[in-house]
Amino acid sequence: MRDFRSERVREIPPSGIRKFFDIAQEMEDVISLGVGEPDYDTPWNVREAAISSIEKGYTAYTSNSGLNELRDEISLYQKERFGVDYNPVNEVLVTTGASEALDITIRTVVNPGDEVLVAEPAYIAYCSGVILSGGVPVYVPCPAKENFRLTPDSLMEKITPKSKALLCNFPNNPSGGVMTVDDYKAIADVIVDHDLLLISDEIYNEITYEGMPSSAACVEELRERTVIINGFSKAYSMTGWRIGYICAPEEIAAAALKIHQYVMLSAPTMSQYAAIEAVKNGWEARNEMVREYNIRRNLFVNGMRRAGLECHMPKGAIYAFPSVESTGLSDQEFAERLLKEKHIAVVPGSIFGPSGADHLRCCYAISRDNLVTAIERIEEFVNEL
Ligand code: PMP
């Protein structure tokens, strides 16, 4: 029998994160800093909105683009929070998670052979998405010495005549690095001069600890060539609801809608009702979660520094990214031994790209008690090396 799998699917590796967690699941007493997921339940008012929608019998498809009220609210949110106008009728598209938003955006723009610049360390779905579209991912380093930000020089170095788009994610998974509006302004000329499309995954932009969040679309010359990817999973602790969105110039939004129509029809209806409540009335719960993540961030980063691991202070998202270089172990070796010997699961940074080498992604969205125990065990592990 021949191999029925396409060449493209054979080319992409399985998720390095999952592989690790299969091992962890078979062990007892494991504290996991591995999965990138908020540990809160979805706020009750948000759950109630979905329950109420089901009780009312709103169980059919919505319009392909999503409920009008939700698109209005998303447009209002982008305006109020970032000062950017998106027409809710034809520039906002509701998707099944930011994951679908990313997938259809990549498929909307990539022709076979196109190069897509991927700011790394990067969320693991980017390169696979580009490869599945026949594109070629090209890493652009955002190293620790730049506080994991993307700089114009780094970007310039990787641009070729085949470059079509730049995919970036700030606040960043896995590094916690953020870009200010000035940082986006600094790369704007390079993006415009080389006629690139910017795909900006801003799913963590409500989880920032030092000042206001920023959006790439705040920069005027970027607005017309930027696709904003966002969603509700992180800000409102709604990972299981599978609800996200795209804000993009009309031409791109309409093209993405064509793919969405065929592959998804519409995002889950009850989740759309929940999302309306989240964006309208989820602020208090969100603020409370961010306050708590901030305490855990400080606790964890200080713990890592005490343990002798260099660790930059992440300004956003829910991850710390300590360096294990001083231990002489690679990130893979460190993570494997830490799991086997101390029952702490973390993710080796190198799976997110070369700039992640010698780092560990540690998600601190777990209880403070578990976090303290995790710090103690990591400290013990480092001392015993
Ligand atoms: N982008 C990034 C950077 C993420 O970390 C995640 C989730 N881990 C996603 C997108 C996917 O989010 P969603 O649950 O909305 O599909």
Side-chain angles (χ1 to χ4, degrees), residues 296-344:
R296 297 180 198 175
R297 168 187 78 137
N298 293 330
L299 184 71
F300 190 76
V301 170
N302 291 331
M304 291 304 94
R305 289 174 177 172
R306 238 187 4 254
L309 301 181
E310 202 178 298
C311 187
H312 97 119
M313 186 58 86
K315 291 191 178 154
I318 48 178
Y319 311 99
F321 209 49
S323 164
V324 295
E325 207 178 349
S326 61
T327 66
L329 297 180
S330 74
D331 53 304
Q332 287 276 354
E333 285 166 340
F334 192 108
E336 270 168 41
R337 283 187 54 185
L338 186 66
L339 180 58
K340 283 190 188 129
E341 294 171 32
K342 299 289 173 192
H343 296 193
I344 300 292

Side-chain angles (χ1 to χ4, degrees), residues 36-37 95-102 122-126 169-174 201-204 229-234 238-240 242-245 319 361:
E37 188 162 37
T95 58
T96 305
S99 300
E100 189 219 346
L102 274 164
Y123 179 49
I124 45 166
Y126 298 163
N169 158 235
F170 298 100
N172 181 261
N173 172 6
D201 179 350
E202 301 184 356
I203 187 139
Y204 292 101
I229 307 286
N230 209 331
F232 297 83
S233 285
K234 315 291 170 166
M238 292 176 68
T239 49
R242 313 310 306 127
I243 187 92
Y245 60 91
Y319 311 99
R361 191 191 76 169

